[in-house]
Amino acid sequence: MLHRILENDFVQRLTHFPAVGLLGPRQAGKTTLVHAIQNQLSRPTVYFDLERSSDLARFQQDRTFFLEQFTEETVILDEIHRLPELFPDLRGLIDRNRQPGRFILLGSASPTLLRNTSESLAGRISYLELTPFQLRELPSPDYQQHWLRGGFPTSWLAPSTDLSAIWREDFIRNYIERDLPQLGLTANPIQLLRLFTMLANQQGGLLNQTALGNALQLRTPLVGQYLNFLEQAFLVRRLTPYATNVGKRLTKSPKLYIRDSGLVHQLLRLYDINVLFGHPVVGASWEGYVIEQLIPMLQFDQLPFFYRTADGAELDLVIESQGQIKLAVEIKLSDAPTLSKGTTTALQDVGNPPLLVVTPSADTYRLREHVWVCSVSSLPDMLQRLLDG
């Protein structure tokens, strides 16, 4: 099993919080990670999979009475969204015996899950998000295969391109037809697949719900509901624009990305790296891929935005902390990148922070004062250096 970077933080939080919620998309490796850290915990563990009918049946009568017999164990509740009515019971159990590491809750997220935990377990639970494999977690720095297949473990580890593609096709179909309805999204599967495919074609584009609704023959508010759900299921990222008083007309619409690059390529039937490089989506796909490698590295007080003005000044990412832009990021699909006038203007607009230009495989070097170039593989080291320096 590959070591997940989240592991140490996960174990540490279990020594402090009564409950820890590990959230993320289906098949990202949540259950595998929990089983891997069980021998590091101070308590014995008991595991219940709430998608298994025999385990779910144990909670159909007096749930509090049933769980009270495990006061000395860490109770792992997998697919917790299947039993949202359990959260008030967990609050009572925690308040009567507030010890760290009592419960681990695993879920694929949903509006119902988030609402119930925020209302019932406020101050008692800490959340962590487990993404599919990050490039920095892999034993080989082969960014091309990771970018092409995405980070879902079964897709990346598949012994052939065909098997990886078959898994991703089944994953998309099952998520749309089975998993999202179980999470509470009532939508026509055909329309939802069309929406997902449109988002792949418009990867990294500005959100225009009206245009999406017209194309799908759906009401605009319904499109918004679908997008909100896909975002809370960790399938879509909504990147908001940075707003600052620079006296310019700024873009107000967010950008939308399908978070896993392998799903983008599956929806567009791009199975070969050479075919991908010849497709119009290649630049946006690379941008989304790098963004998904970068954002999970940020600290809780480092917030990502993009910056764009009506005049064309643009930065792919700006990282804000304590009210200031600490770092700007440009994402290039060339190992010999150049900066446009619009980039220079955008940097001036946001206070001339350091700029990091991320490429596929360029050596790390300084392009000019306060501007560095690096590869996606060396991104973790450069990000830490520039944000902590």
Side-chain angles (χ1 to χ4, degrees), residues 234-360:
F234 300 104
L235 296 177
V236 167
R237 183 179 297 280
R238 192 187 309 246
L239 189 63
T240 54
Y242 180 69
T244 183
N245 297 320
V246 296
K248 297 187 176 184
R249 289 191 299 127
L250 302 176
T251 296
K252 296 181 179 179
S253 298
K255 285 183 176 183
L256 281 187
Y257 297 89
I258 293 177
R259 293 184 57 170
D260 183 74
S261 58
L263 298 186
V264 175
H265 302 150
Q266 185 64 34
L267 289 162
L268 300 179
R269 302 296 185 259
L270 301 173
Y271 305 121
D272 180 87
I273 196 70
N274 295 317
V275 175
L276 172 59
F277 270 100
H279 194 279
V281 81
V282 63
S285 172
W286 175 250
E287 180 180 310
Y289 171 74
V290 173
I291 284 171
E292 287 305 315
Q293 305 313 302
L294 190 154
I295 289 179
M297 300 183 207
L298 300 179
Q299 301 300 315
F300 71 94
D301 59 344
Q302 297 169 341
L303 304 177
F305 303 89
F306 75 94
Y307 179 81
R308 181 185 291 184
T309 71
D311 298 329
E314 182 176 5
L315 293 163
D316 293 328
L317 273 179
V318 292
I319 311 302
E320 182 194 59
S321 180
Q322 301 179 44
Q324 291 185 328
I325 298 298
K326 301 296 185 180
L327 179 67
V329 179
E330 275 289 281
I331 300 166
K332 302 291 187 181
L333 194 53
S334 167
D335 283 334
T338 58
L339 301 184
S340 67
K341 182 180 178 181
T343 300
T344 302
T345 301
L347 284 170
Q348 293 171 348
D349 290 346
V350 298
N352 286 313
L355 173 66
L356 182 60
V357 183
V358 184
T359 71

Side-chain angles (χ1 to χ4, degrees), residues 7 10-11 14 32-41 104:
E7 183 176 312
F10 188 21
V11 173
L14 285 166
T32 301
L33 175 58
V34 167
H35 289 322
I37 60 97
Q38 282 177 296
N39 61 358
Q40 300 180 46
L41 304 182
I104 296 174

Side-chain angles (χ1 to χ4, degrees), residues 47-50 52-64 66-67 70 75-77 80 83 85-86 89-90 103:
Y47 173 83
F48 299 103
D49 181 355
L50 298 181
R52 188 184 300 153
S53 58
S54 57
D55 283 357
L56 187 61
R58 298 169 184 252
F59 295 88
Q60 298 307 309
Q61 300 300 321
D62 190 332
R63 296 183 293 268
T64 299
F66 174 69
L67 287 171
F70 304 114
V75 178
I76 303 167
L77 298 168
I80 189 65
L83 200 63
E85 60 269 27
L86 184 59
D89 300 320
L90 295 179
F103 297 100

